[in-house]
Amino acid sequence: MVEERKGLVFDIQGYSVHDGPGCRSLVFLSGCPLSCDWCANPEGQELKQRVLYRVSKCKYHERNCRRCISACPYEAIAESGDAEQPVNIDRNICRDCKTYDCTKACIYEALNLSGKWMTVDELMAVIERDRKFWGDGGGVTFTGGEPLLQKDFLLEALKRCKASFIHTSIETSGFASTETFMEVINLLDFAFVDLKHMDPDKHMEHTGVRNELILSNIKTLAASDWPGLLVIRIPVIEGFNDSDENIRATAEFLKECDLEIVNILPFHRLGDSKYKQLGMKYKYSESEGTPEDVLLHIQEIFLKYDIACFIGSNTPF
Ligand code: SF4
Ligand code: SF4
């Protein structure tokens, strides 16, 4: 029997009004070739399930619980001696775990797995269930992680959406082979493509990859006859990409590509608690949200280039 293809989905959110036209379901696919310092979804960075430890739910003290410690066959969990965080997880050992027995043993839901392996049928059942709540003009947005990393699963899901007349969108870093990028795009109605920095070295320094492939994919898409709407998204990160020089270089590149819409996103620290649950350090844990005057200044620069610049969720799409 041929096994059905599965994709690792780390979240499905039913009611987004910020990620494409109308009310939408967001499907978060795990795995990303980038490692942006400010990433808000660290649990989706790897194409692998990870253990999230929510200390607030742990009953080590109240119920004298030690269930995870005895359940782990690899001795990766131990008492920490720290009252604030009673158990320590050795993440290097967990990396090769196949059983995740600790999460099954934790009856208080303090230990959970990020993501679930799903078949396209299972995913479509959730999408079809949510569909009645979208109203007119909604649809599905695939995001992540980097959705292009699970290309085959994504293509199958997009074909199924198309066959069911579901409007589809993507949020992507654009970091994939041009063949993969265009193959996926051609099945979509709408695309948000990130443009994080124009300088390849700075891009490399803070995202882990250079930007030449991304720029070339944006150029290819802009020059193609794809009938959908392309919106360039820029997460505004203080001290990284918010300089006038970088914004002007971005605007010039967009003009070169004949692109006229950009959506700038203020930095937020919503991912902070997930870094703690994963036992990871968050480089931006002390950073504040992007001040409004910085966003307005960036908007003004784009407007000088005749590029419509929408801030955050304040968009017509
Ligand atoms: S099994 Fe769960 S509740 Fe019990 S000690 Fe481990 S993490 Fe805490
Ligand atoms: S994920 Fe696996 S190795 Fe890690 S603590 Fe749980 S059972 Fe042990």
Side-chain angles (χ1 to χ4, degrees), residues 53 57-60 65-69 87 102 105-108 110-111:
Y53 174 36
K57 292 205 157 193
C58 179
K59 300 286 185 232
Y60 176 94
C65 179
R66 307 285 188 275
R67 291 173 61 92
C68 54
I69 298 173
V87 298
C102 59
C106 182
I107 54 174
Y108 302 107
L111 295 173

